[in-house]
């Protein structure tokens, strides 16, 4: 991605949020002189060095490109100020939906800032912690399996009784493909490989127990996948290879656990009253499901625990085996 494109994306991503917060603050407290050396003035409203530095930080611009990026970002700040000025003129800042959005944004920013301050610097996972996770999860690492699969993609609308019967009789994927050709049913072919680190444990276990050539069906909304397990082979990962990913996973988990502990502490000391039964029931369900407020943390890398794409999610929900 070029610098211009990156800055352009930064220029417009989140404009609504920043604009609403800025308009809301000016509407609530009137005009306040901005701190920092002024770089430009837009109809009397100053744009300062501090604002520009904040934009540079959020854009993650490399030091060698900051001079060029600064010029482009200054123009984006001018554009934003123009939009803010017009919004105030049109009294958009008084729209109930806008006011609500401003309040939500302010509350989220303040809550996240508090949590970041409260949690502080989380210690990097130790070598012993990384090794312990590695040893406790051999299915993701030392005993990792690779599943090579071939599949036919068929429109779910074409899954009639005749096709289902043909699938039940078939001994191979090619037999089904021949039937589809003979009956002029459109289909696509794909090959894919997944490891036991990519799949949910229950799905990995089922695949590992299948013989080569086994057929199974995964329904995925408007399409249905007929999958043949072509091969299963060992694909181990040693500790040195897995360490960076495990470190990131454990670091993010420590952040999440610390945030959950702080929320639990605050809830224990707070007086919380639910004013109707529906809200109380919904809150209890969310709490039981482990739903929590967003917590500031480093970008979440894919953990060494399993993940799944849409097809695999459906497979977990209901794997049709023959």
């Amino acid at each position: 991605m070029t610098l211009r494109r990156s800055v352009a994306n930064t220029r417009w991503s989140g404009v609504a949020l920043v604009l609403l917060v800025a308009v809301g603050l000016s509407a609530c407290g009137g005009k306040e002189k901005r701190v920092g050396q002024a770089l430009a003035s837009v109809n009397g409203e100053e744009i300062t060095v501090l604002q520009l530095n904040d934009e540079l930080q959020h854009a993650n611009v490399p030091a060698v490109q900051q001079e060029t990026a600064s010029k482009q970002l200054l123009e984006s700040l001018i554009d934003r100020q123009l939009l803010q000025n017009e919004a105030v003129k049109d009294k958009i800042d008084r729209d109930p939906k806008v006011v609500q959005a401003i309040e939500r944004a302010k509350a989220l920013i303040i809550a996240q800032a508090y949590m970041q301050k409260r949690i502080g610097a989380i210690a990097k996972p130790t070598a012993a912690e990384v090794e312990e996770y590695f040893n406790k999860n051999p299915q993701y690492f030392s005993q990792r399996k690779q599943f090579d699969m071939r599949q036919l993609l068929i429109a779910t609308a074409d899954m009639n009784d005749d096709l289902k019967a043909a699938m039940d009789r078939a001994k191979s994927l090619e037999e089904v493909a021949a039937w589809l050709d003979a009956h002029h049913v459109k289909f696509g072919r794909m090959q894919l490989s997944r490891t036991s680190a990519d799949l949910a444990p229950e799905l990995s276990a089922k695949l590992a127990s299948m013989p080569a050539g086994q057929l199974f069906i995964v329904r995925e909304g408007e399409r249905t996948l007929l999958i043949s397990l072509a091969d299963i082979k060992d694909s181990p990962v040693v500790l040195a290879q897995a360490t960076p990913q495990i470190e990131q996973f454990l670091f993010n988990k420590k952040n999440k656990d610390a945030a959950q502990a702080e929320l639990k502490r605050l809830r224990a000391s707070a007086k919380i009253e639910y004013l109707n039964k529906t809200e109380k029931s919904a809150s209890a369900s969310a709490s039981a499901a482990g739903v929590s407020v967003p917590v500031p943390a480093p970008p979440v890398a894919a953990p060494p625990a399993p993940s799944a794409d849409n097809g695999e999610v459906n497979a977990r929900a209901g794997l049709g085996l023959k």
Side-chain angles (χ1 to χ4, degrees):
M1 179 182 291
T2 64
L3 172 63
R4 181 177 295 276
R5 189 173 179 183
S6 175
V7 172
N9 288 339
T10 303
R11 186 172 180 172
W12 294 111
S13 64
V15 163
L17 174 61
V18 176
L19 178 59
L20 289 178
V21 173
V23 170
L25 292 175
S26 64
C28 294
K31 291 186 179 180
E32 295 182 5
K33 184 172 178 60
R34 290 170 177 163
V35 178
Q37 178 184 351
L39 295 174
S41 176
V42 181
N43 295 326
E45 295 286 348
E46 292 183 345
I47 296 172
T48 69
V49 172
L50 290 178
Q51 288 176 274
L52 181 58
N53 288 340
D54 186 60
E55 292 296 314
L56 286 167
Q57 181 180 353
H58 282 85
N60 293 319
V61 178
V64 295
Q65 297 179 322
Q66 286 195 359
E67 183 177 352
T68 301
S70 294
K71 296 176 182 178
Q72 296 176 16
L73 288 171
L74 178 58
E75 296 304 317
S76 77
L77 286 168
I78 291 172
D79 290 344
R80 189 183 303 168
Q81 188 64 56
L82 287 168
L83 290 171
Q84 179 182 336
N85 292 349
E86 291 304 305
V88 173
K89 282 183 183 178
D90 291 345
K91 299 182 180 180
I92 292 175
D93 55 314
R94 301 181 188 180
D95 185 293
K97 291 182 179 179
V98 175
V99 172
Q100 183 62 38
I102 292 169
E103 290 304 313
R104 180 182 182 279
K106 286 172 62 178
L108 183 58
I109 291 168
I110 293 169
Q112 288 181 328
Y114 167 79
M115 191 67 81
Q116 186 69 63
K117 180 180 179 181
R118 182 73 183 183
I119 292 174
I122 299 294
K124 180 181 176 181
T126 65
E129 290 174 323
V130 171
E131 185 173 2
E132 180 183 18
Y133 187 90
F134 179 89
N135 292 332
K136 284 186 175 180
N137 296 276
Q139 70 275 25
Y140 305 143
F141 307 112
S142 59
Q143 298 176 17
R144 191 176 73 164
K145 301 287 186 182
Q146 178 176 315
F147 305 103
D148 295 331
M149 294 169 277
R150 295 181 299 136
Q151 60 186 27
L152 301 180
L153 282 69
I154 307 159
T156 299
D158 291 331
M159 288 293 293
N160 54 36
D161 291 340
D162 290 340
L163 176 51
K164 291 177 184 177
M167 288 182 173
D168 288 337
R169 294 191 304 267
K171 302 297 182 183
S172 70
L173 207 63
E174 292 308 315
E175 287 186 26
V176 179
W179 189 95
L180 294 170
D181 280 331
H183 291 77
H184 308 290
V185 178
K186 293 182 179 180
F187 65 94
R189 292 179 183 268
M190 282 186 64
Q191 294 184 353
L192 70 157
S193 292
R194 293 288 186 271
T195 72
S196 52
D198 303 322
L199 304 172
E202 62 270 27
L203 181 54
S204 292
K206 285 186 177 181
L207 291 175
S209 66
M210 290 181 184
Q214 174 73 58
L215 301 180
F216 61 97
I217 296 170
V218 174
R219 291 179 176 82
E220 192 184 68
E222 295 183 354
R223 66 177 187 174
T224 296
L225 285 63
L226 178 61
I227 303 175
S228 171
L229 182 60
D231 193 18
I232 304 174
K233 47 195 173 188
D234 293 330
S235 180
V237 175
V238 299
L239 178 59
Q241 293 173 295
T243 292
Q245 192 179 23
I246 296 175
E247 284 180 340
Q248 186 65 62
F249 172 70
L250 293 178
F251 181 73
N252 290 340
K253 186 176 184 300
K254 285 185 177 184
N255 270 280
K256 181 179 178 182
D257 290 347
Q260 295 284 9
E262 176 61 11
L263 285 170
K264 185 177 181 180
R265 184 188 72 81
L266 292 173
R267 279 180 168 267
S269 61
K271 182 181 179 181
I272 301 174
E273 297 180 74
Y274 296 98
L275 303 181
N276 64 62
K277 294 180 180 180
T278 302
E279 288 181 0
K280 184 175 181 179
S281 176
S283 177
S285 299
S287 179
V291 176
S292 61
V293 298
V295 175
V300 178
S307 61
D309 61 23
N310 289 338
E312 289 147 6
V313 169
N314 282 278
R316 281 185 287 168
L319 187 61
L321 304 180
K322 300 208 296 180

